[in-house]
Amino acid sequence: MAPLQLRFRTPGGETFEIDEVDDEETVEILLVRVMSLQPDLEDGIQISYNGKVLQDEAVIGSLGLQSGALLDVGVAKPSAPTPEVPAAAPSVVDNLINMGFDRTKVVEALSAAFNDADRAVEYLFNGIPRSPETGHWGDAMFSSQLVSKRGLISTGEALRGASVVAVYFSAHWCPPCRNFTPPLATAFSAAPAELAVIFVSGDRDEASFSQYYGTMPWLAVPFSAMQRQSLGMSFGVKGIPSLVVLNAQGQVITTSGRDDVTQCNFDLRACMRRWGVSAAPVAPVEPTPAPPVAQDKFPTPAALPIDDVVIDAAILRVTDEAWDVQEVFFATGLKVLENVLKNPDEVKFRQLKRKNPALCSKLLEVAGDAGVALLDEAGFKENGEFLALAGPADGRCTAVRDKLIAASTKAFEMHAREVRDERIKEELEKDKGRVTRYGGGEGGRMNLGRRGPARGGG
């Protein structure tokens, strides 16, 4: 399909045009071009067509646009916060474990008790209610149904035959997650049948959950399920992406599944051997041509040497900023570099307007021009009113991108730990005002306190 010429109308009624819009571009890329040409527009803009807001991930060719179409540029309205379902406080989980109960049983009991600690204790001593239909341990842990590529399916049926269940904590808004999911999905396509993977979403809304789950080949906890809110805290997840690996009875094998997968180079059979589970041997088949492996449209050039001192100093300055500044900085920097690496022949991605307000506030002028320093190491140089690459991206862009990925992952994990610690602190403060139903024992361990008088004895 020939490139499109599109017209745009600003909130003030002014119009402008953008030529050479490829049908394979996304709306997100188109927004970057709009911001570059209209630096006076406010941050957080959106594009609509015929009164419908176009989603960032939508591909231009799927929208039915014709050359000359008029699109409106407006300011995105902030969405109302999604109310959260209360999750079990980590102090409650730890207290029950310190009483001698297995973590898996604690998680199951709290889920069945809707995070009521007193009821969970009764379940732990007297038995956890089972679903009369399936009675599968996963019903209480995950929910009675899981999302599959065929629709909702009972948890017992979904996990039938699985000797290992890998619980995958991830979210679309998390850059390290988006880097980890594709190779994991590729590895899963050749994984043994005894392995089940269940996605537990940390996304902020159901639309993001559905979009992200569309890239995955495995099961998922329904976004509306109460258990989705409490599972991460119950398993002590400190950051995402994370893999908690369970055996066929729902007992924890390891909470470091992500490290195992990485160390085994995404060989899931090797991972299962590490987890103490033997997968069925692969049946011998006649040699057939291997199917083509999905690759980037353009190969990424091998990394070249860069000045690590300059890069590390710039990143260190960024990590001194507030988390919301860091998050936007890393996302924007990675987007700029991925655009030039994946589209080496597209000149439009190799030119950044130096005084663009959005780029300045999100990347270029953050933390003492840290973005400019990073892009300079990637090969971008001052050229009039632009920062520009003289030619297609080379290995310097690859090297800087890899540095940014590593730094963003480390920064996110540190932020997640800080958030977790703050929530624990808040819950401990709340606990001080609650009526204590558990007596303290020796060594700081928590002992069960009865609601009524002890039976028998004097």
Side-chain angles (χ1 to χ4, degrees):
M1 181 176 177
L4 302 175
Q5 180 187 58
L6 300 177
R7 296 183 299 133
F8 296 83
R9 180 169 53 199
T10 68
E14 299 178 359
T15 61
F16 62 96
E17 296 181 353
I18 293 183
D19 299 326
E20 300 292 322
V21 178
D22 296 332
D23 61 346
E24 294 182 356
E25 287 185 16
T26 63
V27 172
E28 183 178 17
I29 292 175
L30 192 57
L31 278 168
V32 173
R33 297 181 66 183
V34 169
M35 287 190 294
S36 178
L37 293 172
Q38 298 289 321
D40 294 331
L41 290 175
E42 295 183 48
D43 193 11
I45 62 172
Q46 63 186 13
I47 297 174
S48 58
Y49 179 60
N50 287 339
K52 181 181 179 180
V53 176
L54 305 183
Q55 299 301 312
D56 288 357
E57 65 275 5
V59 179
I60 299 299
S62 69
L63 301 176
L65 300 176
Q66 302 293 327
S67 280
L70 178 63
L71 293 84
D72 288 298
V73 180
V75 179
K77 296 180 180 179
S79 56
T82 303
E84 293 187 0
V85 178
S91 55
V92 174
V93 176
D94 292 339
N95 287 344
L96 295 179
I97 292 172
N98 288 338
M99 290 166 61
F101 297 113
D102 178 75
R103 176 180 287 275
T104 302
K105 291 295 183 183
V106 170
V107 173
E108 192 175 350
L110 284 169
S111 296
F114 295 90
N115 292 323
D116 183 302
D118 296 323
R119 186 181 301 172
V121 170
E122 292 180 359
Y123 289 167
L124 288 167
F125 274 89
N126 301 321
I128 300 171
R130 299 290 187 183
S131 163
E133 297 179 356
T134 64
H136 194 277
W137 58 265
D139 292 347
M141 183 175 293
F142 303 117
S143 75
S144 61
Q145 292 182 309
L146 294 173
V147 181
S148 75
K149 293 305 176 180
R150 305 190 308 272
L152 288 174
I153 183 173
S154 72
T155 300
E157 180 183 350
L159 299 182
R160 183 179 295 122
S163 55
V164 173
V165 179
V167 188
Y168 182 39
F169 295 88
S170 186
H172 181 263
W173 51 262
C174 162
C177 298
R178 295 200 301 272
N179 290 325
F180 186 77
T181 296
L184 182 62
T186 300
F188 183 77
S189 65
E194 297 90 342
L195 173 65
V197 176
I198 302 176
F199 168 45
V200 180
S201 171
D203 290 300
R204 301 182 176 103
D205 55 70
E206 191 159 6
S208 299
F209 160 77
S210 299
Q211 177 195 345
Y212 192 31
Y213 179 60
T215 67
M216 303 176 182
W218 41 67
L219 303 164
V221 174
F223 189 80
S224 59
M226 175 202 69
Q227 292 89 333
R228 184 184 66 84
Q229 299 280 348
S230 58
L231 272 169
M233 193 172 294
S234 299
F235 284 121
V237 174
K238 300 176 182 179
I240 56 176
S242 179
L243 271 177
V244 175
V245 182
L246 313 176
N247 64 15
Q249 291 73 47
Q251 298 168 326
V252 176
I253 296 175
T254 179
T255 58
S256 302
R258 176 194 173 190
D259 292 340
D260 292 336
V261 170
T262 303
Q263 291 166 12
C264 291
N265 197 27
F266 291 87
D267 182 343
L268 296 183
R269 287 185 177 273
C271 289
M272 292 186 70
R273 290 194 294 271
R274 177 176 290 198
W275 298 330
V277 180
S278 298
V282 180
V285 295
E286 292 297 322
T288 56
V293 178
Q295 297 179 343
D296 288 339
K297 186 174 182 181
F298 298 98
T300 301
L304 291 174
I306 54 176
D307 192 332
D308 288 332
V309 174
V310 172
I311 296 293
D312 292 343
I315 289 175
L316 182 62
R317 295 199 302 272
V318 173
T319 56
D320 286 336
E321 300 286 338
W323 167 246
D324 56 346
V325 175
Q326 294 183 49
E327 184 178 23
V328 172
F329 176 90
F330 288 126
T332 306
L334 286 171
K335 187 65 181 176
V336 168
L337 293 172
E338 287 172 358
N339 279 344
V340 296
L341 285 167
K342 293 181 179 180
N343 304 277
D345 297 326
E346 296 286 347
V347 177
K348 62 191 176 189
F349 293 118
R350 303 205 300 259
Q351 293 186 341
L352 305 175
K353 203 163 186 178
R354 182 64 178 83
K355 295 302 180 182
N356 181 297
L359 284 175
C360 287
S361 63
K362 294 179 178 181
L363 177 67
L364 301 180
E365 296 180 358
V366 173
D369 291 350
V372 174
L374 294 177
L375 292 178
D376 182 74
E377 286 299 313
F380 284 81
K381 302 300 178 184
E382 296 276 358
N383 184 4
E385 60 179 336
F386 293 97
L387 284 176
L389 281 176
D394 58 25
R396 292 174 295 173
C397 286
T398 305
V400 175
R401 181 203 61 182
D402 293 347
K403 278 277 193 178
L404 276 180
I405 290 174
S408 65
T409 301
K410 182 178 180 181
F412 173 80
E413 291 175 347
M414 182 176 295
H415 170 68
R417 285 194 294 271
E418 291 173 352
V419 171
R420 178 206 62 189
D421 293 345
E422 185 61 30
R423 292 183 66 180
I424 291 175
K425 182 179 179 181
E426 291 174 0
E427 292 297 334
L428 289 175
E429 289 298 322
K430 292 178 184 177
D431 284 347
K432 291 180 182 178
R434 295 176 180 146
V435 177
T436 303
R437 295 187 182 274
Y438 309 104
E442 294 181 3
R445 296 177 66 84
M446 305 300 293
N447 300 321
L448 176 66
R450 296 184 180 273
R451 293 190 179 187
R455 297 178 182 176

